Amino acid sequence: MAISPAKRAALAGAAAFGLAAAAVAQQRPESLLPPGFGDSGAAPSTPAPTPAPAANAPATAPRVQTTTADGALPPLPPLPFPTPTASPTPAPTPRYVLPAFARRSLDAVGADESFARDAFGRADGRYVERLMRYLSAPLPSRWLSIALRRLLVAQVDTPARVNGADFAAERAWLLLRMGESVSARAVAQAVDSDRVTPKLRDVWMQAALATADPGGLCPLAASAGEGERGWIVARAMCAGLTGAARTQPLVTDIRRRRIASGIDLQLAQKVMGAGLNSRQAVTIEWAPVVQLTAWRFGLATATGVVVPDELYATVGPQVRGWQALAPAIPLAERVAVSDQAAAMGVLSSAAMVDLYAALGDGGDAPAALANVAATLRDAYVGNDRATRIAAMAKLWDAAETPNARYARLVLTARAAARLPASSGEAEADRLIASMLTAGLDRSAQRWQGAVPVGGDGWAMLVLADPDAIAQLPASSVTDYAPKGGLAERKRQLFFAGMAGLGRLPDRAVTDLAERLAVPVTAQNAWTRAIDQAAADGQPGTVLLLAAVGMQASGWAHVPPAALFHIVAALRAVGLDGEARMIAAEAIARL
């Protein structure tokens, strides 16, 4: 049957909008269904299993935060499934239409080749999954988040003793908690649909909702069981999107069985109304809604329904990354949250510039954002050096929070790199920090000799130097004289970074550790685990353990001794660039 251009556009708008949603960090995927999807019944029959610790697991499991750094709500408990009135019909097995040679193996699952295939070496997969599941996100370090995303999205060998599809589910779930909705969907969909496990099916739905892609549910909707209420509604939405059946009887049955109600069903009907030959017109009323959920955000975004601003306060900071990545959301709204997304590592410097450039070209941006776009243009193409630096300083000073101030450094990274080094430049420290947010270490090194020894700019250059070979004396640490109320913590972090990078003699490390009260030689379960992973040559395990060791509300609360072990372990497994950038970031963000 031919599809008219108008219907085709509507279908594409509902089924292919990519990105956005709301979730909070938690131990395992919460129920994908918001309040209203049934009121009573038995618990799910196939909960995600809790992996047993491996033999080499730390004696003390990483603790899970009940709130995130920004005060996010604690995890919502899973909602019960209604007790079926009759024996459920076995789910049909999907018919696989690809030839055998085209099937993807579960031995190595991923969306790209951005990391070494043997990233986890001979690590026990149950231990690796445990680390991912108990990891709170987002992390305080932008550079550690970027490295972790590269690992989680890459096609890596599935560790021993776990199923490849379940391993992909854990990776995608962590990516969602980090705000990386697009990467999470890519990892989930890297598994062939006939090999999807119940755990991956749960995460697949979350990723589809996070990316505002209800059409992404359709490959699995038919094979889901009758006890899975979210998938029952998904089948009705897919029927509406494809025109395979009349949706009104399906909606009536959903109401009768109390599978969904209220705004959750209304949003599903809105999706159905975008399909072929649909005559549904649904009005969405947010007034009675007090909690934003992935279901509500994903379906609302897919159908162009504006989510009230006050509901964003009911979810974690991850939503800012999902919003910033969502093309279905108006450009001005994406730009408004781009600072938070960039600070988390979700947006690159180039992506931020592209957003502001598109906003400036549109001509209908809010006045405040239009002014930022104009100032950014001056920062890049101003008439002279003074104009460009003044524009960058204006952008930096306008930010109201520490994360926003750091994000503005990300925004101006390449503008800073276009300037030649100059002695006596008042903004030299921030120019250097700006370049390093985008990894422009060699551009930043041009400022060596142009900044005074002992300042923040000098410290960042020493830590980020890609060509450093010779060790420096202990005086290089004691000469560092940062300004501000956190000067002592900055000096501790600088020492930790220098020691972790091997830039100090062993005797100097011992003496400075005692003088600065940084117990770099103290051992616990975590230090032994990350040191052992580094010794075993497992960069993937090292990154996960590094993230475990950096679960703090901000850089001011990251233990300097933990930074030492993180930097040293990353360097030991060949992640020198990441180690240097994380060490320099510690100085820039305090």
Side-chain angles (χ1 to χ4, degrees), residues 183-198:
S183 296
R185 181 176 62 176
V187 171
Q189 294 181 350
V191 177
D192 292 338
S193 59
D194 69 331
R195 291 177 170 173
V196 170
T197 59

Side-chain angles (χ1 to χ4, degrees), residues 390-401 405 408 427 430:
M392 283 186 269
K394 181 178 179 181
L395 291 172
W396 300 332
D397 295 337
E400 298 178 354
T401 66
R405 285 191 288 272
R408 290 297 175 87
E427 298 293 348
R430 291 200 286 186

Side-chain angles (χ1 to χ4, degrees), residues 294-316:
W295 183 273
R296 292 165 184 173
F297 187 81
L299 300 189
T301 302
T303 53
V305 177
V306 178
V307 178
D309 289 340
E310 58 268 20
L311 288 181
Y312 289 116
T314 67
V315 294

Side-chain angles (χ1 to χ4, degrees), residues 202-227:
D202 285 348
V203 178
W204 186 299
M205 176 175 276
Q206 279 283 29
L209 294 172
T211 53
D213 181 16
L217 301 173
C218 296
L220 301 184
S223 61
E226 285 297 315

